[in-house]
Amino acid sequence: IECLTGAVGLIVNKAQEEQHFSSMYAGLCLKLANTPLEGFDEGSKKGKKFKKILLERCQTEFETDTATKIQEATKDISDPEEIEYHSNLIKKHYLGHMRFIGELYKGDLISIKIMLFCIPALLENSDEGKNNNQDYEEKVECFAKLMTVIGSSLEQQSEAMKKVGKIDTAEKLAECWKTVEIMAGRRDGDGPKVSNRIKFMLQDLLEMKANGWVKRRKEETAKTLAQIHNEVAKEARAARRSS
């Protein structure tokens, strides 16, 4: 069990560090979840232990705020530049974790029920007025990152559930989007105040949603071996033509 827990931790850490490969790491998790593990899985319960450990690790990472992680990582450091380096690294990893969670949801390793717990939590400003607007904006940025990954899938599943009378999902999402629209200046109402950077980020997110979740700029992702071979062959043909 210690070996399996260590393997899960390694995958999660790599997914956080290498955001462009998050879909690949989620794919690896899906493959492991569908592979019977000798000594862990019995009968038809293949991958159950792996999924349990993976979800527990993802939950722990999600619930541990960046301020706590930064404090722990920099408690013995006095150099301001080094503290800033570790702070930025931890924030980057947390954003990477949001993307990884999104990819796990798209691979059906995380349920919509869990996602509907995570999403509103990222928009909730429980410490409003306590001088921690930066912490809150980091959470909102994580929401935006997560929704760029799962927005389309979440919307489709929500609509499918609505058609069979399960309207809770659609209602929760509508409340989230209402909050986002207020923060982005697209709707009147009382809501959290955010910086222009976050406001413009949310406006881009709303625009992406309105355009059917098509991104304005193509995002860099991990290339498959076949894509690399095709690019090499294309470059070789271009070199032959120019020579």
PDB file of all heavy atoms in Angstrom, residues 70 73-90:
ATOM      1  N   ILE A  70       2.857  27.675   1.544  1.00  0.00           N
ATOM      2  CA  ILE A  70       3.963  28.636   1.448  1.00  0.00           C
ATOM      3  C   ILE A  70       4.623  28.824   2.814  1.00  0.00           C
ATOM      4  O   ILE A  70       5.856  28.854   2.928  1.00  0.00           O
ATOM      5  CB  ILE A  70       3.459  29.985   0.896  1.00  0.00           C
ATOM      6  CG1 ILE A  70       3.082  29.833  -0.576  1.00  0.00           C
ATOM      7  CG2 ILE A  70       4.512  31.080   1.066  1.00  0.00           C
ATOM      8  CD1 ILE A  70       2.334  31.019  -1.159  1.00  0.00           C
ATOM      9  N   ALA A  73       6.725  25.765   3.530  1.00  0.00           N
ATOM     10  CA  ALA A  73       7.898  25.640   2.656  1.00  0.00           C
ATOM     11  C   ALA A  73       8.965  26.697   2.941  1.00  0.00           C
ATOM     12  O   ALA A  73      10.144  26.490   2.632  1.00  0.00           O
ATOM     13  CB  ALA A  73       7.461  25.726   1.197  1.00  0.00           C
ATOM     14  N   THR A  74       8.558  27.821   3.513  1.00  0.00           N
ATOM     15  CA  THR A  74       9.512  28.937   3.701  1.00  0.00           C
ATOM     16  C   THR A  74       9.808  29.238   5.177  1.00  0.00           C
ATOM     17  O   THR A  74      10.413  30.281   5.477  1.00  0.00           O
ATOM     18  CB  THR A  74       8.964  30.220   3.028  1.00  0.00           C
ATOM     19  OG1 THR A  74       7.695  30.558   3.615  1.00  0.00           O
ATOM     20  CG2 THR A  74       8.781  30.015   1.532  1.00  0.00           C
ATOM     21  N   LYS A  75       9.401  28.345   6.080  1.00  0.00           N
ATOM     22  CA  LYS A  75       9.556  28.637   7.514  1.00  0.00           C
ATOM     23  C   LYS A  75      11.020  28.794   7.940  1.00  0.00           C
ATOM     24  O   LYS A  75      11.319  29.501   8.915  1.00  0.00           O
ATOM     25  CB  LYS A  75       8.879  27.550   8.354  1.00  0.00           C
ATOM     26  CG  LYS A  75       9.440  26.147   8.164  1.00  0.00           C
ATOM     27  CD  LYS A  75       8.652  25.137   8.986  1.00  0.00           C
ATOM     28  CE  LYS A  75       9.206  23.730   8.805  1.00  0.00           C
ATOM     29  NZ  LYS A  75       8.416  22.725   9.560  1.00  0.00           N
ATOM     30  N   ASP A  76      11.951  28.146   7.217  1.00  0.00           N
ATOM     31  CA  ASP A  76      13.366  28.260   7.588  1.00  0.00           C
ATOM     32  C   ASP A  76      14.151  29.119   6.596  1.00  0.00           C
ATOM     33  O   ASP A  76      15.379  29.071   6.561  1.00  0.00           O
ATOM     34  CB  ASP A  76      14.000  26.862   7.656  1.00  0.00           C
ATOM     35  CG  ASP A  76      13.362  25.996   8.729  1.00  0.00           C
ATOM     36  OD1 ASP A  76      13.046  26.542   9.800  1.00  0.00           O
ATOM     37  OD2 ASP A  76      13.164  24.789   8.484  1.00  0.00           O
ATOM     38  N   ILE A  77      13.438  29.894   5.785  1.00  0.00           N
ATOM     39  CA  ILE A  77      14.082  30.727   4.760  1.00  0.00           C
ATOM     40  C   ILE A  77      13.901  32.198   5.114  1.00  0.00           C
ATOM     41  O   ILE A  77      12.801  32.627   5.479  1.00  0.00           O
ATOM     42  CB  ILE A  77      13.473  30.443   3.365  1.00  0.00           C
ATOM     43  CG1 ILE A  77      13.658  28.961   2.989  1.00  0.00           C
ATOM     44  CG2 ILE A  77      14.103  31.340   2.307  1.00  0.00           C
ATOM     45  CD1 ILE A  77      12.947  28.560   1.722  1.00  0.00           C
ATOM     46  N   SER A  78      14.960  32.980   4.994  1.00  0.00           N
ATOM     47  CA  SER A  78      14.891  34.405   5.316  1.00  0.00           C
ATOM     48  C   SER A  78      15.077  35.300   4.093  1.00  0.00           C
ATOM     49  O   SER A  78      14.676  36.459   4.105  1.00  0.00           O
ATOM     50  CB  SER A  78      15.949  34.767   6.366  1.00  0.00           C
ATOM     51  OG  SER A  78      17.244  34.399   5.908  1.00  0.00           O
ATOM     52  N   ASP A  79      15.688  34.766   3.044  1.00  0.00           N
ATOM     53  CA  ASP A  79      15.948  35.555   1.844  1.00  0.00           C
ATOM     54  C   ASP A  79      14.635  35.846   1.106  1.00  0.00           C
ATOM     55  O   ASP A  79      13.935  34.917   0.695  1.00  0.00           O
ATOM     56  CB  ASP A  79      16.902  34.797   0.919  1.00  0.00           C
ATOM     57  CG  ASP A  79      17.225  35.598  -0.326  1.00  0.00           C
ATOM     58  OD1 ASP A  79      17.693  36.735  -0.193  1.00  0.00           O
ATOM     59  OD2 ASP A  79      16.992  35.082  -1.439  1.00  0.00           O
ATOM     60  N   PRO A  80      14.269  37.122   0.904  1.00  0.00           N
ATOM     61  CA  PRO A  80      13.002  37.493   0.259  1.00  0.00           C
ATOM     62  C   PRO A  80      12.834  36.915  -1.141  1.00  0.00           C
ATOM     63  O   PRO A  80      11.741  36.501  -1.523  1.00  0.00           O
ATOM     64  CB  PRO A  80      13.056  39.031   0.214  1.00  0.00           C
ATOM     65  CG  PRO A  80      14.012  39.408   1.281  1.00  0.00           C
ATOM     66  CD  PRO A  80      15.028  38.307   1.331  1.00  0.00           C
ATOM     67  N   GLU A  81      13.931  36.887  -1.909  1.00  0.00           N
ATOM     68  CA  GLU A  81      13.848  36.374  -3.277  1.00  0.00           C
ATOM     69  C   GLU A  81      13.552  34.876  -3.293  1.00  0.00           C
ATOM     70  O   GLU A  81      12.779  34.393  -4.125  1.00  0.00           O
ATOM     71  CB  GLU A  81      15.147  36.665  -4.029  1.00  0.00           C
ATOM     72  CG  GLU A  81      15.332  38.134  -4.381  1.00  0.00           C
ATOM     73  CD  GLU A  81      16.543  38.370  -5.273  1.00  0.00           C
ATOM     74  OE1 GLU A  81      17.185  37.377  -5.685  1.00  0.00           O
ATOM     75  OE2 GLU A  81      16.832  39.548  -5.550  1.00  0.00           O
ATOM     76  N   GLU A  82      14.164  34.154  -2.367  1.00  0.00           N
ATOM     77  CA  GLU A  82      13.923  32.712  -2.291  1.00  0.00           C
ATOM     78  C   GLU A  82      12.498  32.420  -1.820  1.00  0.00           C
ATOM     79  O   GLU A  82      11.855  31.490  -2.303  1.00  0.00           O
ATOM     80  CB  GLU A  82      14.935  32.053  -1.351  1.00  0.00           C
ATOM     81  CG  GLU A  82      14.985  30.538  -1.496  1.00  0.00           C
ATOM     82  CD  GLU A  82      16.108  29.890  -0.694  1.00  0.00           C
ATOM     83  OE1 GLU A  82      16.974  30.627  -0.185  1.00  0.00           O
ATOM     84  OE2 GLU A  82      16.083  28.666  -0.573  1.00  0.00           O
ATOM     85  N   ILE A  83      12.016  33.245  -0.889  1.00  0.00           N
ATOM     86  CA  ILE A  83      10.632  33.097  -0.417  1.00  0.00           C
ATOM     87  C   ILE A  83       9.659  33.335  -1.573  1.00  0.00           C
ATOM     88  O   ILE A  83       8.693  32.592  -1.753  1.00  0.00           O
ATOM     89  CB  ILE A  83      10.338  34.084   0.744  1.00  0.00           C
ATOM     90  CG1 ILE A  83      11.109  33.653   2.001  1.00  0.00           C
ATOM     91  CG2 ILE A  83       8.834  34.156   1.038  1.00  0.00           C
ATOM     92  CD1 ILE A  83      11.018  34.646   3.157  1.00  0.00           C
ATOM     93  N   GLU A  84       9.947  34.370  -2.365  1.00  0.00           N
ATOM     94  CA  GLU A  84       9.086  34.671  -3.517  1.00  0.00           C
ATOM     95  C   GLU A  84       9.123  33.534  -4.542  1.00  0.00           C
ATOM     96  O   GLU A  84       8.094  33.170  -5.126  1.00  0.00           O
ATOM     97  CB  GLU A  84       9.536  35.983  -4.183  1.00  0.00           C
ATOM     98  CG  GLU A  84       8.616  36.418  -5.313  1.00  0.00           C
ATOM     99  CD  GLU A  84       9.062  37.716  -5.967  1.00  0.00           C
ATOM    100  OE1 GLU A  84      10.125  38.242  -5.581  1.00  0.00           O
ATOM    101  OE2 GLU A  84       8.354  38.187  -6.871  1.00  0.00           O
ATOM    102  N   TYR A  85      10.321  32.951  -4.741  1.00  0.00           N
ATOM    103  CA  TYR A  85      10.458  31.830  -5.677  1.00  0.00           C
ATOM    104  C   TYR A  85       9.574  30.650  -5.256  1.00  0.00           C
ATOM    105  O   TYR A  85       8.815  30.099  -6.062  1.00  0.00           O
ATOM    106  CB  TYR A  85      11.927  31.386  -5.746  1.00  0.00           C
ATOM    107  CG  TYR A  85      12.127  30.057  -6.441  1.00  0.00           C
ATOM    108  CD1 TYR A  85      12.075  29.958  -7.828  1.00  0.00           C
ATOM    109  CD2 TYR A  85      12.342  28.891  -5.692  1.00  0.00           C
ATOM    110  CE1 TYR A  85      12.244  28.733  -8.459  1.00  0.00           C
ATOM    111  CE2 TYR A  85      12.510  27.671  -6.320  1.00  0.00           C
ATOM    112  CZ  TYR A  85      12.458  27.596  -7.699  1.00  0.00           C
ATOM    113  OH  TYR A  85      12.611  26.381  -8.333  1.00  0.00           O
ATOM    114  N   HIS A  86       9.654  30.273  -3.992  1.00  0.00           N
ATOM    115  CA  HIS A  86       8.857  29.149  -3.497  1.00  0.00           C
ATOM    116  C   HIS A  86       7.361  29.475  -3.529  1.00  0.00           C
ATOM    117  O   HIS A  86       6.545  28.600  -3.832  1.00  0.00           O
ATOM    118  CB  HIS A  86       9.285  28.792  -2.071  1.00  0.00           C
ATOM    119  CG  HIS A  86      10.588  28.052  -1.998  1.00  0.00           C
ATOM    120  ND1 HIS A  86      10.715  26.729  -2.365  1.00  0.00           N
ATOM    121  CD2 HIS A  86      11.830  28.455  -1.616  1.00  0.00           C
ATOM    122  CE1 HIS A  86      11.962  26.345  -2.199  1.00  0.00           C
ATOM    123  NE2 HIS A  86      12.667  27.374  -1.752  1.00  0.00           N
ATOM    124  N   SER A  87       7.027  30.711  -3.231  1.00  0.00           N
ATOM    125  CA  SER A  87       5.622  31.132  -3.251  1.00  0.00           C
ATOM    126  C   SER A  87       5.038  31.000  -4.654  1.00  0.00           C
ATOM    127  O   SER A  87       3.943  30.449  -4.836  1.00  0.00           O
ATOM    128  CB  SER A  87       5.487  32.584  -2.777  1.00  0.00           C
ATOM    129  OG  SER A  87       5.941  32.717  -1.452  1.00  0.00           O
ATOM    130  N   ASN A  88       5.772  31.500  -5.639  1.00  0.00           N
ATOM    131  CA  ASN A  88       5.303  31.427  -7.029  1.00  0.00           C
ATOM    132  C   ASN A  88       5.207  29.981  -7.505  1.00  0.00           C
ATOM    133  O   ASN A  88       4.277  29.623  -8.245  1.00  0.00           O
ATOM    134  CB  ASN A  88       6.234  32.220  -7.947  1.00  0.00           C
ATOM    135  CG  ASN A  88       6.130  33.715  -7.724  1.00  0.00           C
ATOM    136  OD1 ASN A  88       5.110  34.212  -7.254  1.00  0.00           O
ATOM    137  ND2 ASN A  88       7.194  34.447  -8.047  1.00  0.00           N
ATOM    138  N   LEU A  89       6.157  29.151  -7.075  1.00  0.00           N
ATOM    139  CA  LEU A  89       6.157  27.746  -7.470  1.00  0.00           C
ATOM    140  C   LEU A  89       4.930  27.023  -6.910  1.00  0.00           C
ATOM    141  O   LEU A  89       4.268  26.249  -7.621  1.00  0.00           O
ATOM    142  CB  LEU A  89       7.436  27.071  -6.965  1.00  0.00           C
ATOM    143  CG  LEU A  89       7.791  25.696  -7.558  1.00  0.00           C
ATOM    144  CD1 LEU A  89       8.039  25.805  -9.053  1.00  0.00           C
ATOM    145  CD2 LEU A  89       9.023  25.130  -6.859  1.00  0.00           C
ATOM    146  N   ILE A  90       4.614  27.285  -5.659  1.00  0.00           N
ATOM    147  CA  ILE A  90       3.464  26.641  -5.009  1.00  0.00           C
ATOM    148  C   ILE A  90       2.155  27.092  -5.662  1.00  0.00           C
ATOM    149  O   ILE A  90       1.245  26.281  -5.890  1.00  0.00           O
ATOM    150  CB  ILE A  90       3.458  26.944  -3.492  1.00  0.00           C
ATOM    151  CG1 ILE A  90       4.582  26.134  -2.814  1.00  0.00           C
ATOM    152  CG2 ILE A  90       2.114  26.600  -2.855  1.00  0.00           C
ATOM    153  CD1 ILE A  90       4.895  26.550  -1.397  1.00  0.00           C
TER     154      ILE A  90
END
